[in-house]
Amino acid sequence: MGSGWRTALFQRRTLRCLPPSPDFGRIFRLACWIALSVSTPALAAEPSSHRSVKGSDLDSLREANRVLEEEIKLASRPQVYWLLDLSEGVIAIKARGVELNRFPIIVWRMAGEGSVAEVFRLRARPSVARPRATSGDEASQELIELEDMPAEYALAFDPPITLFVAPPGHERPWLWAKSHLREWWTRLASWGRSVVAPSQKAAGPRLRLTLSREAAQSLAWSGTEGMPLLIKSAVPP
């Protein structure tokens, strides 16, 4: 009775948080499934079954539940956001809970101190080298195309976290080397600021994403100032 009451209460609270949009049916069903899954370990611990749930499984359920709660809040607003799923190795562009596009991550690596269990906001989109207009052509200057977007860049967010994006070394050796140099310089600058002003806010985690050139350009194209980023961390086995 206690477990069923808690599940029903969770469903009612989740329903009140959802806006009247058909796009949330899938999110709502997933929320109910996670709520039932979280309550399952208490039943699995019965002596007669002699079974227990692994700690990594519980951590995975808690992380999935945390991300889902945050995504429900983001999806309730008319905005586009990124969902970076490190456990699946993908980064998705989403709006209203619906996936618009996704890009596979070839390799990712995280360094630095800080938590990723919050919603981050993009400070500024990557800079674009706009083509220069010739005399008398200012009014008819061509629009920026996907090919004009950079394939190597760094994305800074608030709270502090930095994403370094670049193609793999075998695909674009110069961009790969440039990205690592950029990360090294960022670390050096952060260390210098901490020495000069120890009370200054920490630089936060550094997350390197290796994407194909087209995926990196598409990700840069989709970014806007203030765009939310939600990260689902990879739970160790």
Side-chain angles (χ1 to χ4, degrees):
M1 290 294 292
S3 177
W5 179 83
R6 287 193 299 270
T7 301
L9 179 60
F10 177 84
Q11 293 174 353
R12 289 198 297 270
R13 288 180 176 176
T14 303
L15 185 59
R16 287 198 297 269
C17 294
L18 296 177
S21 173
D23 297 338
F24 287 92
R26 183 169 49 188
I27 294 180
F28 177 68
R29 289 193 295 270
L30 183 58
C32 296
W33 176 84
I34 290 177
L36 293 173
S37 300
V38 172
S39 63
T40 301
L43 300 177
E46 294 292 334
S48 58
S49 64
H50 298 286
R51 293 182 300 178
S52 61
V53 177
K54 294 182 180 179
S56 60
D57 294 336
L58 285 175
D59 292 339
S60 298
L61 287 173
R62 293 191 183 101
E63 178 65 3
N65 192 42
R66 178 193 70 81
V67 172
L68 179 61
E69 290 177 354
E70 294 291 350
E71 187 173 1
I72 288 176
K73 299 174 186 177
L74 291 175
S76 65
R77 301 180 179 89
Q79 62 181 342
V80 179
Y81 57 93
W82 286 327
L83 175 59
L84 175 55
D85 191 338
L86 298 178
S87 61
E88 296 293 334
V90 296
I91 181 167
I93 305 173
K94 306 187 73 174
R96 293 287 191 181
V98 176
E99 186 174 291
L100 306 178
N101 203 348
R102 67 160 46 197
F103 311 110
I105 301 172
I106 300 174
V107 179
W108 67 269
R109 175 178 58 82
M110 185 178 294
E113 299 180 354
S115 172
V116 298
E118 50 191 316
V119 177
F120 302 91
R121 302 278 176 175
L122 183 62
R123 295 179 186 174
R125 67 180 305 177
S127 60
V128 181
R130 295 179 178 272
R132 294 182 179 179
T134 58
S135 59
D137 193 38
E138 290 80 359
S140 60
Q141 183 177 354
E142 295 183 359
L143 297 176
I144 300 299
E145 302 291 342
L146 178 63
E147 291 76 13
D148 299 322
M149 301 303 296
E152 183 279 320
Y153 49 88
L155 300 173
F157 294 82
D158 288 317
I161 186 174
T162 306
L163 266 60
F164 297 91
V165 181
H170 65 84
E171 184 177 327
R172 292 291 190 276
W174 162 241
L175 293 182
W176 179 87
K178 181 181 178 182
S179 179
H180 281 269
L181 182 62
R182 186 194 298 271
E183 183 179 2
W184 175 82
W185 176 255
T186 301
R187 292 176 57 188
L188 182 62
S190 176
W191 175 81
R193 287 192 298 267
S194 65
V195 172
V196 175
S199 60
Q200 189 173 1
K201 185 184 297 185
R206 301 185 308 276
L207 184 56
R208 170 167 294 281
L209 303 181
T210 302
L211 305 175
S212 67
R213 181 185 62 84
E214 183 178 354
Q217 290 177 311
S218 299
L219 186 66
W221 178 268
S222 66
T224 57
E225 183 178 349
M227 188 170 183
L229 167 68
L230 182 59
I231 300 177
K232 182 180 179 182
S233 63
V235 180

